[in-house]
Amino acid sequence: MRGEVFVIGLGLIGSSVALAIKNTHRDATVSGFDINQNHLQLAKALGIIDHISSNMKEGAERADLIIIGTPVKQTEAILKELSAYDLKERCIISDVGSTKVKITETAAVLDGTGATFIGGHPMAGSHKTGPAAAKAHLFENAFYLLTPGTGVEEKKTAELKAWLRGTKAKFLVVSPGMHDQLTGIISHFPHIIAASLVHQAKKGTLENELITRLAAGGFRDITRIASSSPAMWRDILLHNRDILLGLLEEWMVEMKAVQAFLLDNDSERIYAFFQEAKEFRDDLPVRSQGAIPAFFDLYVDVPDYSGVISEITGYLAKEKISITNIRILETREELYGVLVISFQCEEDRKAAEACLERYTNYGVYIA
């Protein structure tokens, strides 16, 4: 497709969308704008964008497609600003935010401009940030939710899909309300629970300092998402307030039921509580990407000697395999320790597994 694409916000998601568009639509020109000048200059240097726009007005008025890659609160302000510009009559505007009802309501300010707003949410991400971490295949096989509002022509949604086909994502078209319900259940609410578990552990450390030491293993894994941006999650919770209030009520009822099982020493219902949860979780797709970025961990049994970690990372660097995190589960003298290496995607993990099996005789496995 020919045309001008303008990306506002060149963080990880905005930059990855830009790359996917550039790789597929060779005749299109991609320009960008970001208040973070480092992001902007790096995106240009890395070839993520073709041109830097000195301001939003300049880039927006030339664009056939505008992608807003900013947090939800900023997206609202940007939509209001765009409504004052002389936009192309057939321009499509989309975002990448985690909530949609309030954004779609705000997009009503575009009525009369000729532009069409279609909400978007690529349900993939990374534990790295910024344009340096951008990948055109970041969204490959992930779900990409599109939320056209009432009155949006189907051909405009089809046109947006065509622009975004380089993401190789699985597009799902849902209403803004359905989107917020779905993401509330499988993304927003789990972040609240993860943060609350950390708060509970923090309070416990006032009485027992061993909690911090013991929480270094599995507890860190189940609460990883609590390390997400506080500012971003503040805005998401306020945007999806009504859905989350309802989910919190349901959660409290569930916890009251568990409390009753314990008070009654009801072993059968306690067993059923865990059994039903296990069955549902075990049936979830293993390799599909969802709303919360997956962790692709590789476990390596390594001997306890100086330099072993640099040895392992050196092999991976030799093969140009990028890691997102590395930690030691256990190491004791004369015993093998377990090195846990996290990767951004399944392909990187598979490549690392093959690399380490080729260069070492250490045990390498996926838990």
Side-chain angles (χ1 to χ4, degrees):
M1 296 173 70
R2 294 178 178 271
E4 296 271 346
V5 179
F6 182 46
V7 181
I8 304 170
L10 290 158
L12 170 70
I13 303 299
S15 294
S16 295
V17 171
L19 273 177
I21 291 172
K22 275 178 60 68
N23 287 355
T24 310
H25 304 288
R26 302 290 183 179
D27 294 330
T29 300
V30 180
S31 59
F33 175 80
D34 197 305
I35 58 173
N36 185 321
Q37 289 300 308
N38 290 334
H39 280 187
L40 198 57
Q41 296 296 333
L42 186 56
K44 177 65 168 63
L46 293 173
I48 294 171
I49 57 174
D50 300 305
H51 304 293
I52 291 175
S53 293
S54 58
N55 56 68
M56 275 206 301
K57 188 174 190 294
E58 174 193 2
E61 291 186 345
R62 290 201 313 260
D64 300 288
L65 171 67
I66 299 173
I67 299 291
I68 306 173
T70 64
V72 290
K73 189 175 181 180
Q74 294 171 0
T75 297
E76 286 187 289
I78 289 169
L79 286 169
K80 292 173 184 176
E81 191 166 342
L82 290 176
S83 69
Y85 299 160
D86 185 19
L87 302 175
K88 288 185 178 179
E89 188 172 343
R90 302 301 292 171
C91 175
I92 294 176
I93 301 172
S94 189
D95 73 324
V96 298
S98 297
T99 61
K100 285 291 163 280
V101 170
K102 287 192 71 175
I103 294 294
T104 303
E105 290 172 353
T106 301
V109 299
L110 296 168
D111 292 350
T113 66
T116 299
F117 177 77
I118 301 173
H121 181 192
M123 299 179 79
S126 168
H127 311 295
K128 294 185 176 181
T129 59
K135 291 187 177 182
H137 64 266
L138 181 66
F139 315 110
E140 187 171 351
N141 295 322
F143 288 108
Y144 199 128
L145 301 188
L146 299 178
T147 60
T150 305
V152 173
E153 300 174 351
E154 288 187 14
K155 65 179 181 180
K156 300 301 289 187
T157 303
E159 185 180 342
L160 178 58
K161 287 181 182 179
W163 273 115
L164 297 173
R165 64 185 171 86
T167 62
K168 298 181 180 179
K170 302 173 184 176
F171 294 106
L172 289 178
V173 179
V174 298
S175 69
M178 177 60 73
H179 170 278
D180 286 2
Q181 178 72 27
L182 291 170
T183 55
I185 292 171
I186 50 88
S187 176
H188 306 165
F189 190 66
H191 276 82
I192 296 175
I193 299 304
S196 68
L197 289 173
V198 174
H199 277 289
Q200 189 171 34
K202 181 183 176 183
K203 292 174 184 175
T205 60
L206 298 176
E207 300 174 6
N208 194 331
E209 63 181 17
L210 280 175
I211 287 176
T212 301
R213 293 171 63 186
L214 295 175
F219 183 83
R220 282 180 58 89
D221 291 338
I222 65 173
T223 58
R224 281 183 180 182
I225 55 177
S227 293
S228 302
S229 164
M232 179 184 75
W233 281 100
R234 174 199 61 200
D235 295 343
I236 288 173
L237 261 62
L238 291 174
H239 263 232
N240 209 13
R241 174 179 176 271
D242 293 341
I243 295 293
L244 291 171
L245 284 172
L247 290 171
L248 281 167
E249 287 292 336
E250 294 175 11
W251 177 259
M252 291 173 190
V253 170
E254 178 105 12
M255 291 302 98
K256 283 288 185 183
V258 175
Q259 183 182 48
F261 301 161
L262 289 170
L263 288 170
D264 296 340
N265 287 312
D266 194 335
S267 63
E268 290 186 7
R269 297 182 75 178
I270 292 172
Y271 176 87
F273 174 78
F274 286 106
Q275 179 64 22
E276 289 169 15
K278 172 179 166 40
E279 289 174 355
F280 182 82
R281 187 194 180 281
D282 289 350
D283 285 341
L284 293 176
V286 175
R287 301 194 181 278
S288 296
Q289 296 191 55
I292 298 174
F295 290 85
F296 301 95
D297 291 342
L298 188 65
Y299 293 75
V300 186
D301 290 330
V302 292
D304 181 17
Y305 65 78
S306 177
V308 68
I309 295 178
S310 61
E311 175 191 332
I312 296 294
T313 55
Y315 292 137
L316 298 177
K318 185 176 181 179
E319 299 285 333
K320 293 184 167 60
I321 301 170
S322 177
I323 67 175
T324 62
N325 193 25
I326 189 167
R327 62 193 174 91
I328 299 173
L329 279 187
E330 179 184 17
T331 180
R332 296 191 182 98
E333 190 176 356
E334 297 180 358
L335 287 178
Y336 271 67
V338 179
L339 192 66
V340 185
I341 311 174
S342 300
F343 302 89
Q344 185 167 305
C345 60
E346 177 66 18
E347 289 73 19
D348 286 349
R349 178 166 65 179
K350 285 181 179 178
E353 185 177 12
C355 168
L356 296 180
E357 287 178 345
R358 184 163 58 252
Y359 288 111
T360 76
N361 60 356
Y362 305 148
V364 181
Y365 55 97
I366 297 170

